Amino acid sequence: MDNKDWWLKLFAAIGLVLVLGTIQHANAGLFGFGSTSWKEEALQNDGSTILVSRSQSYGGRHEIGQPPPIKEQSLSFILPGTDKTISWEDKTTEDIGHANFDLLALHVENGTPYLVTSPNLCISYNKWGRPNPPYVFLNTMAMHGSAFLYPNSLLT
């Protein structure tokens, strides 16, 4: 075997291992298409943390050469001090063609979870009333179970 061929085969094998390892580690599908999920800790004001499961998938309208926006995303966690699972989903809507929000923070105050979000791109910003500062706060109420509610002022 020629010395040059041996180095090329070794280089190709190392490259293949690195590419496959990166794809497997990212769990995001080939070249970023598809979806990804992960767990993270949300630090609270009192210093405690909440373990949050998140997932995102990508797709929808986008400019040529730009990555696709978040198509769907979800978040779930167990409410501290209870065994109640709280879930939130943000799916593509027809009017904007992608998810409505970017998730920024999760906080639990006096047993009520609050989700801090920002409108996802310009069309969503317009849909949610062009908030200034650009944040939308979502919360749950006991009478509505474990679903996050959109602020009534933004739905009218």
Side-chain angles (χ1 to χ4, degrees):
M1 181 192 303
D2 186 52
N3 195 23
K4 190 180 204 181
D5 291 337
W6 183 81
W7 281 106
L8 282 173
K9 287 182 182 181
L10 179 64
F11 182 71
I14 291 172
L16 180 63
V17 168
L18 289 174
V19 167
L20 291 175
T22 302
I23 290 170
Q24 290 296 324
H25 180 68
N27 194 20
L30 188 60
F31 304 117
F33 296 110
S35 64
T36 184
S37 61
W38 68 97
K39 292 186 180 191
E40 60 186 43
E41 292 181 342
L43 181 63
Q44 303 298 293
N45 285 343
D46 64 1
S48 65
T49 59
I50 299 172
L51 186 62
V52 180
S53 298
R54 290 187 57 184
S55 66
Q56 289 181 339
S57 62
Y58 303 91
R61 298 184 299 226
H62 60 93
E63 298 293 326
I64 296 173
Q66 298 293 317
I70 298 170
K71 179 173 65 172
E72 296 177 358
Q73 57 188 337
S74 65
L75 168 140
S76 65
F77 62 95
I78 296 175
L79 189 62
T82 70
D83 60 350
K84 187 175 185 180
T85 299
I86 306 292
S87 298
W88 177 78
E89 287 185 339
D90 184 17
K91 295 184 177 186
T92 299
T93 57
E94 263 186 54
D95 53 352
I96 62 174
H98 52 74
N100 284 276
F101 301 109
D102 289 325
L103 298 174
L104 301 176
L106 168 69
H107 183 67
V108 176
E109 182 70 31
N110 297 326
T112 302
Y114 295 90
L115 195 59
V116 181
T117 66
S118 181
N120 182 4
L121 303 174
C122 188
I123 298 172
S124 179
Y125 184 69
N126 291 335
K127 175 183 176 179
W128 293 99
R130 302 184 66 78
N132 186 16
Y135 304 113
V136 178
F137 295 86
L138 310 174
N139 68 4
T140 61
M141 296 180 163
M143 64 179 160
H144 293 289
S146 62
F148 275 91
L149 302 176
Y150 296 109
N152 289 335
S153 62
L154 294 175
L155 294 177
T156 58

